[in-house]
Amino acid sequence: MSIRHTAALAALLLGTAPFAQAADKPTDPQIAHIAYTAGVIDVEAAKLAIEKSKTKEVVDFANDMVRDHEAVNVQALDLVKKLKVTPEDNATSQALTKAAAEERAKLAKLDGAAFDKAYVDNEVAYHKQVNGALETLLIPSAQNADLKSLLETGLKIFQGHEQHAEHVAGRLK
């Protein structure tokens, strides 16, 4: 995500979305949709990196993103089936999807070191924003204990992703 899109995502996830107000927190079905959407977005970005990058460390990182985000999304789908909950599309999920499509289009035009740097910088920014949203909005708003637990587990994994992305970014400079 570019800095502009990252700032927009931060504003959206951390307070300016209509349902992000304290009196109007996202519901569990909305939270499930947001979390799942965020995972799909990262998988799609990682698949693009696997396709385009020639740098082993970037490709290895992208493979980790695919593996981990797909695994968490499988757990999320299993949980919503168990709870008989239908994830609910919402403005945040839609905005995330739109911003991600725009960023993927920009990344697709890049090659070589420029692609690697843009992809990894995007991963650092994206994980920072998603982790912040998990900590400050999604986890505190979740009502179901199983959903809250899955989000907390995801947060730990994704904090590791953020650190890994920062490490890879540092090595690319």
Side-chain angles (χ1 to χ4, degrees):
M1 245 176 224
S2 67
I3 299 302
R4 186 180 81 239
H5 285 117
T6 301
L9 175 64
L12 182 68
L13 288 175
L14 301 177
T16 60
F19 64 81
Q21 306 301 320
D24 195 10
K25 294 180 181 177
T27 64
D28 284 358
Q30 291 170 332
I31 291 168
H33 199 280
I34 293 165
Y36 185 83
T37 299
V40 167
I41 287 168
D42 209 35
V43 167
E44 290 171 351
K47 287 180 177 178
L48 180 63
I50 293 165
E51 175 187 318
K52 291 189 64 87
S53 183
K54 306 285 188 264
T55 306
K56 181 182 181 338
E57 192 166 18
V58 172
V59 172
D60 289 349
F61 173 78
N63 279 315
D64 289 348
M65 294 307 97
V66 170
R67 180 197 65 226
D68 291 354
H69 285 281
E70 284 183 344
V72 170
N73 275 358
V74 165
Q75 291 176 343
L77 289 175
D78 290 346
L79 178 60
V80 296
K81 285 177 190 169
K82 172 185 159 192
L83 299 175
K84 295 183 172 85
V85 171
T86 301
E88 183 182 318
D89 194 9
N90 56 78
T92 300
S93 293
Q94 293 164 8
L96 286 171
T97 300
K98 181 176 186 256
E102 291 169 1
E103 187 61 26
R104 268 192 319 280
K106 288 179 190 174
L107 288 172
K109 294 176 184 173
L110 301 174
D111 290 303
F115 173 84
D116 290 345
K117 180 172 180 3
Y119 167 69
V120 174
D121 287 350
N122 176 60
E123 285 297 296
V124 171
Y126 188 70
H127 281 92
K128 280 182 193 277
Q129 298 311 319
V130 171
N131 290 343
L134 280 164
E135 286 179 309
T136 62
L137 179 64
L138 302 179
I139 292 170
S141 297
Q143 298 299 305
N144 179 277
D146 291 333
L147 176 60
K148 189 178 289 264
S149 177
L150 179 62
L151 295 171
E152 290 167 343
T153 299
L155 176 60
K156 289 177 187 157
I157 293 167
F158 306 149
Q159 286 169 331
H161 289 174
E162 181 182 334
Q163 291 173 346
H164 189 182
E166 288 170 343
H167 174 77
V168 174
R171 293 182 51 92
L172 291 176
K173 293 183 179 184

